[in-house]
Amino acid sequence: MKHKKLVSSLLALSLPMGAVLAGCGSDDSSNASNTSSPAASAGATAAATVNPADLKPVELSFYYSGGSEQKDQAAVEAKLNELLKPKINATIKLYPVDYGSWAQKINLMVAGNEPFDLIFTAASDGFSAKAAAGNFLELNSLLDKYGQDIKKSIDPVMLQGSQINGKYFAVPVQKEIAAHQGVVLHKGMVDKYGFDISKIKTLKDLEPMLQTIKEKEPATVVPFWGTGNIPVFAPFEYIGNRNVPGAIAIGKDTTVFNQWDTPEIREIYELMRSWNQKGFFQKDPTTQTDASAYVKAGTLFAQWQSLKPGKDKEMSASRNYEFVQVDITTPYVAATGPAGAMTSISRTSKNPERAMMLLNLLHSDKEILNTLVMGIEGTHYTKVSDNVVKKTDQAANYAPGINWKIGNQFLNYLYDNEDPQKWEKFQAYNKSAQVSPLLGFTYDATNVKNEESAIVNIYKEYNDGLGTGVLDPAKALPEYIEKLKKAGMDKVIAEKQKQVDEFLKNKK
C-alpha cells in the first residue's frame, strides 16, 4: 500500500460496526449494562472490587460455533469449575454447535427468549444486525466495572471494533486483525505426490494437483471442498452485507460497484463450473456444506480458508495429520477486520455481571483460558516450557479448535510443532497489511432495507449453485444480475456510494 507506514496511525481510528441503535440493552433497569449515559460510555463508571465469598453461586452457559461436544468436555468443565469458583464463584457449561446447525439453533433460542449467557459472534456472523435487533446487552458499564483486565490488555482498536454508536455490544478476541485468502492442503497427500506448492499463485494453479488426487486417491477423498464463499478470492472489499451488491476494488479507488458483474467474479465461477464437471467437489455441494466430517477423517485434500500466519499449524494441532497453507491473496485490514471473532452477552442472561467477570478472566488468566481452549494439563497436553506444550495420547478427546474464538489468544500456549515466534509474527502481520481506506466506516442499510431483504433471497437462490459450479455461469449469472436489478440493486449501490462519499468527506 502506498501509505503502509501509516498503518499504526490508521489503526488508532474508531471502528463503530453498525447502524445507530435504540433499545439494544436489557429491559431490566437493574442490569449493570443497561446504561447509555455519557459518563458510562466514557469509562467513568467505577471499577468494582469483587469478593467471591460475597457472590452467590451461578452457572454460566457459553455457546460457540464450529464443533460438537468433545469426549472429555465434562472433565474440562469440571477443571474449569475448580478454577473459577475461588475467583468468581461460578461454574461453566459449554455448548459447541456445528456450523450447519448454528444459525437455526441460535435463532430459535433468541426467538424463544431462552436464557443463556455468553455467545460467539463476528462481523461475518451478522453481529451488527443481531446487536441492532437487541440480541446482545450493551457492555459499557459492565466493562468499566468488571472488565478492568480487558481494558488494560486489549488494543483500543480491537475493542472499538465492537462499538456501535458509542456503545459496546461484544468483546473482541485479542488476535490478528488482518486477513488474506488461500487454501489449506492435506500435507500427507502433498508429500505423497511430491506437489510443488510454491507454484500455486492462483486458484487455477491447483488444478493439476486436484486432477492427480481425483485419479489416484480413493473415491472417498474429496479433491476440493466446493463452497459458495469462493468469490472472496476476487480483490474486492464488500460494503455492508457481502451477500448484497456493493464493493470497492482493493488498491484502487472507492467507487462502489456490483461485484457480481465483473470479469474477476465471472472467471472464478467459470473455473468452479469446470472443476465441478471434472468431479473435484464433494457430492451435492449445494446441500452438503459442512466439511467437518471429511476434515476429521482426513479425506479432504484442499479447502478454502481465510488465512493468517500459522493457520495450517493451528489446524494441525487438533488433528492426527498435518495441513499446509498456500497464500493466494495478500494481507488486508478491512473495515470490519477487528470484528472477526468476538463474544457477546445475551440479553436473556440472568447473570450479566458474572458473565463479564468470566470474560475478563478469559483475557487475563492464562490457566483458565488454556484449559477452555486446549484442555487439561497432564491429560491433554504436557508442558515443554512456560508457553509451549506437547499433545498427549488423549489430546484427541478434547480438541475443540476454538483457540482463535475466545479471549486473549496471545495468552494461548503454543504446541511444540508451532512457530515459537507465532504471536510476534501476528503483530508484524497486522502492521504489514494493506489497510482499507474505509477503516472506521459504518454502513447503515436502513434506507434500503426492503431492497436488501429481497436481494438476499435472490442471493440464496444463486450463490451456492454458482460458487460450486452446479449452475452454468454463462446462463445463470446474467439471470442473477437481471433479478438483482429488478430487486433494486442500483438503489442499494447508490446508497452505499452516498455513505462512502460522506464518510470520506468528513474523515479527519
PDB file of all heavy atoms in Angstrom, residues 244-271:
ATOM      1  N   VAL A 244     -25.008  -8.801  -0.608  1.00  0.00           N
ATOM      2  CA  VAL A 244     -25.733  -7.753  -1.327  1.00  0.00           C
ATOM      3  C   VAL A 244     -24.731  -7.016  -2.220  1.00  0.00           C
ATOM      4  O   VAL A 244     -23.596  -6.779  -1.813  1.00  0.00           O
ATOM      5  CB  VAL A 244     -26.382  -6.773  -0.320  1.00  0.00           C
ATOM      6  CG1 VAL A 244     -27.039  -5.602  -1.044  1.00  0.00           C
ATOM      7  CG2 VAL A 244     -27.409  -7.519   0.530  1.00  0.00           C
ATOM      8  N   PRO A 245     -25.109  -6.651  -3.436  1.00  0.00           N
ATOM      9  CA  PRO A 245     -24.182  -5.930  -4.317  1.00  0.00           C
ATOM     10  C   PRO A 245     -23.656  -4.655  -3.663  1.00  0.00           C
ATOM     11  O   PRO A 245     -24.381  -3.954  -2.955  1.00  0.00           O
ATOM     12  CB  PRO A 245     -25.040  -5.598  -5.539  1.00  0.00           C
ATOM     13  CG  PRO A 245     -26.090  -6.648  -5.558  1.00  0.00           C
ATOM     14  CD  PRO A 245     -26.397  -6.921  -4.107  1.00  0.00           C
ATOM     15  N   GLY A 246     -22.380  -4.378  -3.915  1.00  0.00           N
ATOM     16  CA  GLY A 246     -21.758  -3.175  -3.384  1.00  0.00           C
ATOM     17  C   GLY A 246     -20.385  -3.460  -2.828  1.00  0.00           C
ATOM     18  O   GLY A 246     -20.250  -3.972  -1.722  1.00  0.00           O
ATOM     19  N   ALA A 247     -19.332  -3.170  -3.612  1.00  0.00           N
ATOM     20  CA  ALA A 247     -17.956  -3.417  -3.185  1.00  0.00           C
ATOM     21  C   ALA A 247     -17.046  -2.359  -3.787  1.00  0.00           C
ATOM     22  O   ALA A 247     -17.434  -1.645  -4.718  1.00  0.00           O
ATOM     23  CB  ALA A 247     -17.509  -4.809  -3.634  1.00  0.00           C
ATOM     24  N   ILE A 248     -15.849  -2.256  -3.234  1.00  0.00           N
ATOM     25  CA  ILE A 248     -14.815  -1.415  -3.832  1.00  0.00           C
ATOM     26  C   ILE A 248     -13.641  -2.310  -4.205  1.00  0.00           C
ATOM     27  O   ILE A 248     -13.469  -3.390  -3.622  1.00  0.00           O
ATOM     28  CB  ILE A 248     -14.352  -0.284  -2.889  1.00  0.00           C
ATOM     29  CG1 ILE A 248     -13.723  -0.859  -1.611  1.00  0.00           C
ATOM     30  CG2 ILE A 248     -15.511   0.655  -2.555  1.00  0.00           C
ATOM     31  CD1 ILE A 248     -13.042   0.177  -0.733  1.00  0.00           C
ATOM     32  N   ALA A 249     -12.851  -1.879  -5.170  1.00  0.00           N
ATOM     33  CA  ALA A 249     -11.689  -2.650  -5.596  1.00  0.00           C
ATOM     34  C   ALA A 249     -10.503  -2.341  -4.693  1.00  0.00           C
ATOM     35  O   ALA A 249     -10.143  -1.175  -4.510  1.00  0.00           O
ATOM     36  CB  ALA A 249     -11.351  -2.338  -7.049  1.00  0.00           C
ATOM     37  N   ILE A 250      -9.905  -3.364  -4.130  1.00  0.00           N
ATOM     38  CA  ILE A 250      -8.768  -3.186  -3.237  1.00  0.00           C
ATOM     39  C   ILE A 250      -7.595  -2.571  -3.995  1.00  0.00           C
ATOM     40  O   ILE A 250      -7.225  -3.019  -5.088  1.00  0.00           O
ATOM     41  CB  ILE A 250      -8.355  -4.529  -2.616  1.00  0.00           C
ATOM     42  CG1 ILE A 250      -9.453  -5.012  -1.660  1.00  0.00           C
ATOM     43  CG2 ILE A 250      -7.026  -4.414  -1.873  1.00  0.00           C
ATOM     44  CD1 ILE A 250      -9.210  -6.396  -1.092  1.00  0.00           C
ATOM     45  N   GLY A 251      -7.031  -1.520  -3.420  1.00  0.00           N
ATOM     46  CA  GLY A 251      -5.869  -0.878  -4.012  1.00  0.00           C
ATOM     47  C   GLY A 251      -6.186   0.113  -5.111  1.00  0.00           C
ATOM     48  O   GLY A 251      -5.272   0.668  -5.718  1.00  0.00           O
ATOM     49  N   LYS A 252      -7.473   0.346  -5.356  1.00  0.00           N
ATOM     50  CA  LYS A 252      -7.860   1.301  -6.394  1.00  0.00           C
ATOM     51  C   LYS A 252      -8.614   2.454  -5.751  1.00  0.00           C
ATOM     52  O   LYS A 252      -8.207   2.972  -4.733  1.00  0.00           O
ATOM     53  CB  LYS A 252      -8.645   0.587  -7.485  1.00  0.00           C
ATOM     54  CG  LYS A 252      -7.811  -0.476  -8.201  1.00  0.00           C
ATOM     55  CD  LYS A 252      -8.557  -1.120  -9.348  1.00  0.00           C
ATOM     56  CE  LYS A 252      -7.676  -2.169 -10.040  1.00  0.00           C
ATOM     57  NZ  LYS A 252      -8.382  -2.837 -11.152  1.00  0.00           N
ATOM     58  N   ASP A 253      -9.752   2.849  -6.330  1.00  0.00           N
ATOM     59  CA  ASP A 253     -10.480   3.963  -5.748  1.00  0.00           C
ATOM     60  C   ASP A 253     -11.645   3.448  -4.906  1.00  0.00           C
ATOM     61  O   ASP A 253     -11.752   2.249  -4.637  1.00  0.00           O
ATOM     62  CB  ASP A 253     -10.967   4.928  -6.840  1.00  0.00           C
ATOM     63  CG  ASP A 253     -11.859   4.234  -7.872  1.00  0.00           C
ATOM     64  OD1 ASP A 253     -12.555   3.253  -7.501  1.00  0.00           O
ATOM     65  OD2 ASP A 253     -11.878   4.670  -9.030  1.00  0.00           O
ATOM     66  N   THR A 254     -12.517   4.343  -4.478  1.00  0.00           N
ATOM     67  CA  THR A 254     -13.626   3.962  -3.605  1.00  0.00           C
ATOM     68  C   THR A 254     -14.960   3.994  -4.348  1.00  0.00           C
ATOM     69  O   THR A 254     -16.004   4.233  -3.750  1.00  0.00           O
ATOM     70  CB  THR A 254     -13.679   4.883  -2.377  1.00  0.00           C
ATOM     71  OG1 THR A 254     -13.720   6.248  -2.815  1.00  0.00           O
ATOM     72  CG2 THR A 254     -12.467   4.676  -1.488  1.00  0.00           C
ATOM     73  N   THR A 255     -14.918   3.747  -5.640  1.00  0.00           N
ATOM     74  CA  THR A 255     -16.147   3.627  -6.413  1.00  0.00           C
ATOM     75  C   THR A 255     -16.835   2.317  -6.058  1.00  0.00           C
ATOM     76  O   THR A 255     -16.222   1.242  -6.099  1.00  0.00           O
ATOM     77  CB  THR A 255     -15.854   3.647  -7.923  1.00  0.00           C
ATOM     78  OG1 THR A 255     -15.210   4.883  -8.247  1.00  0.00           O
ATOM     79  CG2 THR A 255     -17.134   3.512  -8.731  1.00  0.00           C
ATOM     80  N   VAL A 256     -18.109   2.387  -5.714  1.00  0.00           N
ATOM     81  CA  VAL A 256     -18.876   1.207  -5.331  1.00  0.00           C
ATOM     82  C   VAL A 256     -19.516   0.607  -6.577  1.00  0.00           C
ATOM     83  O   VAL A 256     -20.121   1.322  -7.380  1.00  0.00           O
ATOM     84  CB  VAL A 256     -19.953   1.558  -4.290  1.00  0.00           C
ATOM     85  CG1 VAL A 256     -20.724   0.307  -3.875  1.00  0.00           C
ATOM     86  CG2 VAL A 256     -19.315   2.223  -3.065  1.00  0.00           C
ATOM     87  N   PHE A 257     -19.403  -0.709  -6.744  1.00  0.00           N
ATOM     88  CA  PHE A 257     -19.938  -1.366  -7.933  1.00  0.00           C
ATOM     89  C   PHE A 257     -20.564  -2.707  -7.557  1.00  0.00           C
ATOM     90  O   PHE A 257     -20.413  -3.191  -6.423  1.00  0.00           O
ATOM     91  CB  PHE A 257     -18.827  -1.578  -8.967  1.00  0.00           C
ATOM     92  CG  PHE A 257     -17.623  -2.319  -8.426  1.00  0.00           C
ATOM     93  CD1 PHE A 257     -17.587  -3.707  -8.389  1.00  0.00           C
ATOM     94  CD2 PHE A 257     -16.531  -1.615  -7.933  1.00  0.00           C
ATOM     95  CE1 PHE A 257     -16.494  -4.377  -7.879  1.00  0.00           C
ATOM     96  CE2 PHE A 257     -15.421  -2.281  -7.425  1.00  0.00           C
ATOM     97  CZ  PHE A 257     -15.406  -3.674  -7.401  1.00  0.00           C
ATOM     98  N   ASN A 258     -21.251  -3.311  -8.515  1.00  0.00           N
ATOM     99  CA  ASN A 258     -21.836  -4.633  -8.339  1.00  0.00           C
ATOM    100  C   ASN A 258     -20.757  -5.681  -8.573  1.00  0.00           C
ATOM    101  O   ASN A 258     -20.326  -5.901  -9.703  1.00  0.00           O
ATOM    102  CB  ASN A 258     -23.002  -4.834  -9.311  1.00  0.00           C
ATOM    103  CG  ASN A 258     -23.520  -6.268  -9.306  1.00  0.00           C
ATOM    104  OD1 ASN A 258     -23.322  -7.002  -8.346  1.00  0.00           O
ATOM    105  ND2 ASN A 258     -24.173  -6.656 -10.396  1.00  0.00           N
ATOM    106  N   GLN A 259     -20.307  -6.329  -7.530  1.00  0.00           N
ATOM    107  CA  GLN A 259     -19.206  -7.277  -7.647  1.00  0.00           C
ATOM    108  C   GLN A 259     -19.539  -8.470  -8.528  1.00  0.00           C
ATOM    109  O   GLN A 259     -18.638  -9.110  -9.102  1.00  0.00           O
ATOM    110  CB  GLN A 259     -18.756  -7.771  -6.260  1.00  0.00           C
ATOM    111  CG  GLN A 259     -19.804  -8.546  -5.472  1.00  0.00           C
ATOM    112  CD  GLN A 259     -20.591  -7.657  -4.526  1.00  0.00           C
ATOM    113  OE1 GLN A 259     -20.760  -6.466  -4.790  1.00  0.00           O
ATOM    114  NE2 GLN A 259     -21.059  -8.222  -3.420  1.00  0.00           N
ATOM    115  N   TRP A 260     -20.826  -8.797  -8.650  1.00  0.00           N
ATOM    116  CA  TRP A 260     -21.198  -9.976  -9.439  1.00  0.00           C
ATOM    117  C   TRP A 260     -21.051  -9.728 -10.939  1.00  0.00           C
ATOM    118  O   TRP A 260     -20.915 -10.670 -11.709  1.00  0.00           O
ATOM    119  CB  TRP A 260     -22.629 -10.393  -9.109  1.00  0.00           C
ATOM    120  CG  TRP A 260     -22.882 -10.471  -7.640  1.00  0.00           C
ATOM    121  CD1 TRP A 260     -23.733  -9.712  -6.911  1.00  0.00           C
ATOM    122  CD2 TRP A 260     -22.245 -11.349  -6.701  1.00  0.00           C
ATOM    123  NE1 TRP A 260     -23.667 -10.050  -5.574  1.00  0.00           N
ATOM    124  CE2 TRP A 260     -22.769 -11.053  -5.419  1.00  0.00           C
ATOM    125  CE3 TRP A 260     -21.291 -12.354  -6.815  1.00  0.00           C
ATOM    126  CZ2 TRP A 260     -22.364 -11.721  -4.276  1.00  0.00           C
ATOM    127  CZ3 TRP A 260     -20.888 -13.023  -5.659  1.00  0.00           C
ATOM    128  CH2 TRP A 260     -21.419 -12.698  -4.412  1.00  0.00           C
ATOM    129  N   ASP A 261     -21.055  -8.481 -11.337  1.00  0.00           N
ATOM    130  CA  ASP A 261     -20.963  -8.152 -12.764  1.00  0.00           C
ATOM    131  C   ASP A 261     -19.554  -7.657 -13.083  1.00  0.00           C
ATOM    132  O   ASP A 261     -19.354  -6.545 -13.558  1.00  0.00           O
ATOM    133  CB  ASP A 261     -22.008  -7.090 -13.125  1.00  0.00           C
ATOM    134  CG  ASP A 261     -22.173  -6.930 -14.628  1.00  0.00           C
ATOM    135  OD1 ASP A 261     -21.636  -7.774 -15.378  1.00  0.00           O
ATOM    136  OD2 ASP A 261     -22.834  -5.965 -15.051  1.00  0.00           O
ATOM    137  N   THR A 262     -18.558  -8.522 -12.806  1.00  0.00           N
ATOM    138  CA  THR A 262     -17.156  -8.170 -13.036  1.00  0.00           C
ATOM    139  C   THR A 262     -16.436  -9.354 -13.685  1.00  0.00           C
ATOM    140  O   THR A 262     -16.801 -10.518 -13.468  1.00  0.00           O
ATOM    141  CB  THR A 262     -16.435  -7.832 -11.716  1.00  0.00           C
ATOM    142  OG1 THR A 262     -16.498  -8.980 -10.841  1.00  0.00           O
ATOM    143  CG2 THR A 262     -17.078  -6.632 -11.028  1.00  0.00           C
ATOM    144  N   PRO A 263     -15.386  -9.083 -14.450  1.00  0.00           N
ATOM    145  CA  PRO A 263     -14.601 -10.177 -15.046  1.00  0.00           C
ATOM    146  C   PRO A 263     -13.990 -11.096 -13.993  1.00  0.00           C
ATOM    147  O   PRO A 263     -13.867 -12.308 -14.213  1.00  0.00           O
ATOM    148  CB  PRO A 263     -13.512  -9.440 -15.832  1.00  0.00           C
ATOM    149  CG  PRO A 263     -14.056  -8.076 -16.081  1.00  0.00           C
ATOM    150  CD  PRO A 263     -14.912  -7.755 -14.892  1.00  0.00           C
ATOM    151  N   GLU A 264     -13.615 -10.527 -12.843  1.00  0.00           N
ATOM    152  CA  GLU A 264     -12.972 -11.329 -11.799  1.00  0.00           C
ATOM    153  C   GLU A 264     -13.917 -12.410 -11.255  1.00  0.00           C
ATOM    154  O   GLU A 264     -13.515 -13.576 -11.114  1.00  0.00           O
ATOM    155  CB  GLU A 264     -12.505 -10.430 -10.648  1.00  0.00           C
ATOM    156  CG  GLU A 264     -11.368  -9.496 -11.018  1.00  0.00           C
ATOM    157  CD  GLU A 264     -11.828  -8.163 -11.593  1.00  0.00           C
ATOM    158  OE1 GLU A 264     -13.030  -8.036 -11.948  1.00  0.00           O
ATOM    159  OE2 GLU A 264     -10.986  -7.255 -11.695  1.00  0.00           O
ATOM    160  N   ILE A 265     -15.145 -12.018 -10.939  1.00  0.00           N
ATOM    161  CA  ILE A 265     -16.107 -12.989 -10.417  1.00  0.00           C
ATOM    162  C   ILE A 265     -16.485 -13.990 -11.507  1.00  0.00           C
ATOM    163  O   ILE A 265     -16.608 -15.198 -11.253  1.00  0.00           O
ATOM    164  CB  ILE A 265     -17.357 -12.273  -9.874  1.00  0.00           C
ATOM    165  CG1 ILE A 265     -17.005 -11.474  -8.613  1.00  0.00           C
ATOM    166  CG2 ILE A 265     -18.479 -13.280  -9.584  1.00  0.00           C
ATOM    167  CD1 ILE A 265     -16.690 -12.302  -7.395  1.00  0.00           C
ATOM    168  N   ARG A 266     -16.673 -13.495 -12.713  1.00  0.00           N
ATOM    169  CA  ARG A 266     -17.061 -14.381 -13.822  1.00  0.00           C
ATOM    170  C   ARG A 266     -15.983 -15.450 -14.039  1.00  0.00           C
ATOM    171  O   ARG A 266     -16.296 -16.635 -14.236  1.00  0.00           O
ATOM    172  CB  ARG A 266     -17.268 -13.562 -15.085  1.00  0.00           C
ATOM    173  CG  ARG A 266     -17.970 -14.316 -16.224  1.00  0.00           C
ATOM    174  CD  ARG A 266     -18.262 -13.387 -17.394  1.00  0.00           C
ATOM    175  NE  ARG A 266     -19.081 -12.244 -16.986  1.00  0.00           N
ATOM    176  CZ  ARG A 266     -18.651 -10.985 -16.969  1.00  0.00           C
ATOM    177  NH1 ARG A 266     -17.411 -10.692 -17.329  1.00  0.00           N
ATOM    178  NH2 ARG A 266     -19.462 -10.016 -16.592  1.00  0.00           N
ATOM    179  N   GLU A 267     -14.725 -15.055 -13.976  1.00  0.00           N
ATOM    180  CA  GLU A 267     -13.629 -16.010 -14.171  1.00  0.00           C
ATOM    181  C   GLU A 267     -13.617 -17.078 -13.077  1.00  0.00           C
ATOM    182  O   GLU A 267     -13.385 -18.268 -13.334  1.00  0.00           O
ATOM    183  CB  GLU A 267     -12.300 -15.259 -14.193  1.00  0.00           C
ATOM    184  CG  GLU A 267     -11.097 -16.152 -14.432  1.00  0.00           C
ATOM    185  CD  GLU A 267      -9.787 -15.379 -14.456  1.00  0.00           C
ATOM    186  OE1 GLU A 267      -9.841 -14.125 -14.491  1.00  0.00           O
ATOM    187  OE2 GLU A 267      -8.725 -16.017 -14.434  1.00  0.00           O
ATOM    188  N   ILE A 268     -13.866 -16.665 -11.837  1.00  0.00           N
ATOM    189  CA  ILE A 268     -13.909 -17.619 -10.723  1.00  0.00           C
ATOM    190  C   ILE A 268     -15.039 -18.610 -10.916  1.00  0.00           C
ATOM    191  O   ILE A 268     -14.871 -19.829 -10.753  1.00  0.00           O
ATOM    192  CB  ILE A 268     -14.065 -16.871  -9.387  1.00  0.00           C
ATOM    193  CG1 ILE A 268     -12.777 -16.114  -9.051  1.00  0.00           C
ATOM    194  CG2 ILE A 268     -14.408 -17.852  -8.257  1.00  0.00           C
ATOM    195  CD1 ILE A 268     -12.898 -15.194  -7.853  1.00  0.00           C
ATOM    196  N   TYR A 269     -16.231 -18.127 -11.292  1.00  0.00           N
ATOM    197  CA  TYR A 269     -17.374 -19.018 -11.485  1.00  0.00           C
ATOM    198  C   TYR A 269     -17.152 -19.987 -12.651  1.00  0.00           C
ATOM    199  O   TYR A 269     -17.555 -21.163 -12.585  1.00  0.00           O
ATOM    200  CB  TYR A 269     -18.642 -18.197 -11.725  1.00  0.00           C
ATOM    201  CG  TYR A 269     -19.243 -17.604 -10.468  1.00  0.00           C
ATOM    202  CD1 TYR A 269     -20.054 -16.474 -10.536  1.00  0.00           C
ATOM    203  CD2 TYR A 269     -19.022 -18.172  -9.216  1.00  0.00           C
ATOM    204  CE1 TYR A 269     -20.618 -15.921  -9.395  1.00  0.00           C
ATOM    205  CE2 TYR A 269     -19.571 -17.627  -8.070  1.00  0.00           C
ATOM    206  CZ  TYR A 269     -20.374 -16.501  -8.165  1.00  0.00           C
ATOM    207  OH  TYR A 269     -20.936 -15.967  -7.033  1.00  0.00           O
ATOM    208  N   GLU A 270     -16.519 -19.522 -13.694  1.00  0.00           N
ATOM    209  CA  GLU A 270     -16.235 -20.406 -14.830  1.00  0.00           C
ATOM    210  C   GLU A 270     -15.263 -21.507 -14.425  1.00  0.00           C
ATOM    211  O   GLU A 270     -15.398 -22.668 -14.846  1.00  0.00           O
ATOM    212  CB  GLU A 270     -15.672 -19.591 -15.990  1.00  0.00           C
ATOM    213  CG  GLU A 270     -16.725 -18.708 -16.662  1.00  0.00           C
ATOM    214  CD  GLU A 270     -16.122 -17.724 -17.656  1.00  0.00           C
ATOM    215  OE1 GLU A 270     -14.858 -17.622 -17.702  1.00  0.00           O
ATOM    216  OE2 GLU A 270     -16.889 -17.062 -18.370  1.00  0.00           O
ATOM    217  N   LEU A 271     -14.274 -21.164 -13.589  1.00  0.00           N
ATOM    218  CA  LEU A 271     -13.336 -22.166 -13.098  1.00  0.00           C
ATOM    219  C   LEU A 271     -14.046 -23.190 -12.225  1.00  0.00           C
ATOM    220  O   LEU A 271     -13.806 -24.399 -12.336  1.00  0.00           O
ATOM    221  CB  LEU A 271     -12.207 -21.487 -12.318  1.00  0.00           C
ATOM    222  CG  LEU A 271     -11.123 -22.409 -11.752  1.00  0.00           C
ATOM    223  CD1 LEU A 271     -10.375 -23.119 -12.882  1.00  0.00           C
ATOM    224  CD2 LEU A 271     -10.147 -21.622 -10.874  1.00  0.00           C
TER     225      LEU A 271
END
